[in-house]
Amino acid sequence: MRGVIFDGKRTEVVDDLEIRDPGPGEVRVAISAAGLCHSDLSVVDGTIPFPVPVVLGHEGAGVVEAVGVGVGHVRPGDHVALSTLANCGACAECDRGRPTMCRKAIGMPRQLFARGGRPLYQFASNSAFAERTVVKAVQAVRIPKDIPLPSAALIGCGVLTGVGAVLNRARVDRGDTVLVIGTGGIGLNVLQGARIAGALKIVAVDANPAKESVARRFGATHFLTSTEDVKDILPTGADHAFECVGRVELIRQAIDLLDRHGQAVLLGVPPATAEASFLVSSMYLDKSILGCRYGSSRPQRDIALYADLYREGRLLLDELVTRTYPVEDFDKAVQDAEGGRVARAVLTF
């Protein structure tokens, strides 16, 4: 079985992976497509610490091959998009409808794969860069079969995180003003989340001017190559500012550009030890700095919702898939993603 592994020093596409059968409450999925997300690259460059060797990937979609005992909501042949939340469904956080806060879903990697008799870790409870993976049943969400799987794959991370940050965490309302710093895969989904929510002015900021057309396609009403001129568009500041890059200086700019009662939502991932600063006195006008894990999502609800919005033409997915790559071209996909030549590279099996 083919897959992409990281051994702590380099990535490699191999063809001799093994995956165990699904146990009770688990589902085995034949992966059709998987998006290359910055979080995968962050494992490789050390920004996100993770045990190795590991099978990478966490943004995928495919076809159910087999289900374990007790699984009833999906069956073999169903098309599914996968989430990374292997939440337990029984703790206080799950009961409150906050599966992203379930402690069973955070920092508990399993070793479901093997290669030459040696166990390998599963990344983000998912490992979508493999021809097959096994996930908890709660992670597999059935989607209509008329949604192309390369597009559906992106729902499981980029869309859940970006759109979810707008609708679930920030709760952007009609007529609000929104600033989005960084228009990569997450930033584009923040833009379309703000559009769907009915924001009045949506200002996208990205150092690459070539990204203006796609940013406007996803919902930006204005585009800038730096934050210097934001106040010309939003004289009193933004109601909501989303930092989607992961640089502490941009976090500071997002905070400084808030209006009274504004919210800065942090989505980019800086190094684990990074520290950011801000003027404490600036916060006393009811401003907030919000962390956001995975769009504060409830995947069984949200993935189905986003699939319906896509079918109605209100949520863009196909436009995110700039290019597909056979898994053997993983290195080329990484080069194009890091070079900003694609909004989202998608690996196919």
Side-chain angles (χ1 to χ4, degrees), residues 20-94:
R20 67 166 173 76
D21 291 333
E26 294 180 335
V27 177
R28 187 175 71 224
V29 177
I31 298 295
S32 175
L36 176 59
C37 177
H38 187 72
S39 294
D40 299 302
L41 303 181
S42 292
V43 173
V44 176
D45 67 22
T47 301
I48 297 178
F50 204 88
V52 293
V54 58
V55 181
L56 296 174
H58 65 285
E59 186 181 67
V63 181
V64 174
E65 275 195 342
V67 301
V69 174
V71 177
H73 74 289
V74 294
R75 60 186 181 183
D78 283 345
H79 287 199
V80 292
L82 302 182
S83 86
T84 68
L85 286 183
N87 58 295
C88 71
C91 69
E93 297 295 349
C94 287

Side-chain angles (χ1 to χ4, degrees), residues 1-5 12-19 31-32 55-56 113 127-133 325-329 348-349:
M1 180 177 80
R2 292 172 297 166
V4 181
I5 65 172
E12 181 183 5
V13 180
V14 300
D15 61 6
D16 56 352
L17 281 179
E18 299 173 359
I19 183 72
I31 298 295
S32 175
V55 181
L56 296 174
F113 295 90
S127 289
F129 292 170
E131 286 188 86
R132 293 173 182 82
T133 192
Y325 303 76
V327 67
E328 291 80 8
D329 290 343
T348 57
F349 292 89

Side-chain angles (χ1 to χ4, degrees), residues 42-321:
S42 292
V43 173
V44 176
D45 67 22
T47 301
I48 297 178
F50 204 88
V52 293
V54 58
V55 181
L56 296 174
H58 65 285
E59 186 181 67
V63 181
V64 174
E65 275 195 342
V67 301
V69 174
V71 177
H73 74 289
V74 294
R75 60 186 181 183
D78 283 345
H79 287 199
V80 292
L82 302 182
S83 86
T84 68
L85 286 183
N87 58 295
C88 71
C91 69
E93 297 295 349
C94 287
D95 195 48
R96 293 186 183 105
R98 299 193 299 223
T100 57
M101 295 296 103
C102 174
R103 283 168 172 78
K104 295 289 186 180
I106 301 175
M108 300 183 70
R110 301 190 294 168
Q111 293 177 305
L112 305 184
F113 295 90
R115 185 185 183 215
R118 183 185 182 187
L120 289 84
Y121 286 99
Q122 184 179 44
F123 178 55
S125 302
N126 192 307
S127 289
F129 292 170
E131 286 188 86
R132 293 173 182 82
T133 192
V134 170
V135 298
K136 287 189 175 182
V138 71
Q139 296 176 253
V141 184
R142 187 171 60 245
I143 57 173
K145 292 185 178 180
D146 60 356
I147 299 179
L149 287 172
S151 297
L154 305 186
I155 300 177
C157 180
V159 176
L160 279 179
T161 299
V163 178
V166 174
L167 302 182
N168 300 329
R169 186 65 168 128
R171 297 186 181 275
V172 172
D173 200 359
R174 294 181 301 277
D176 285 355
T177 58
V178 172
L179 169 65
V180 181
I181 301 175
T183 61
I186 299 300
L188 290 176
N189 280 296
V190 173
L191 289 172
Q192 69 171 335
R195 169 178 51 78
I196 291 168
L200 181 62
K201 291 184 178 180
I202 306 171
V203 182
V205 177
D206 197 291
N208 184 354
K211 292 186 176 182
E212 179 173 2
S213 60
V214 68
R216 289 186 179 276
R217 176 75 179 92
F218 274 75
T221 59
H222 301 76
F223 183 91
L224 301 170
T225 54
S226 78
T227 59
E228 293 180 1
D229 297 325
V230 169
K231 285 294 184 74
D232 291 341
I233 302 167
L234 306 174
T236 61
D239 294 317
H240 311 274
F242 296 83
E243 200 282 339
C244 305
V245 181
R247 290 169 47 188
V248 294
E249 65 272 23
L250 297 179
I251 291 173
R252 173 61 183 269
Q253 291 172 27
I255 296 168
D256 288 346
L257 288 166
L258 292 176
D259 197 354
R260 298 183 179 194
H261 208 273
Q263 302 179 123
V265 183
L266 310 186
L267 295 176
V269 182
T273 57
E275 297 182 359
S277 64
F278 59 91
L279 290 174
V280 175
S281 61
S282 71
M283 304 302 294
Y284 291 114
L285 292 173
D286 285 359
K287 298 181 184 181
S288 304
I289 302 171
L290 304 179
C292 183
R293 182 170 190 260
Y294 204 43
S296 301
S297 298
R298 287 174 278 176
Q300 286 289 337
R301 181 203 68 166
D302 290 349
I303 289 176
L305 169 63
Y306 300 153
D308 285 343
L309 289 173
Y310 165 80
R311 298 175 85 198
E312 292 177 2
R314 297 171 61 191
L315 184 136
L316 306 181
L317 290 178
D318 303 337
E319 294 82 355
L320 282 167
V321 185

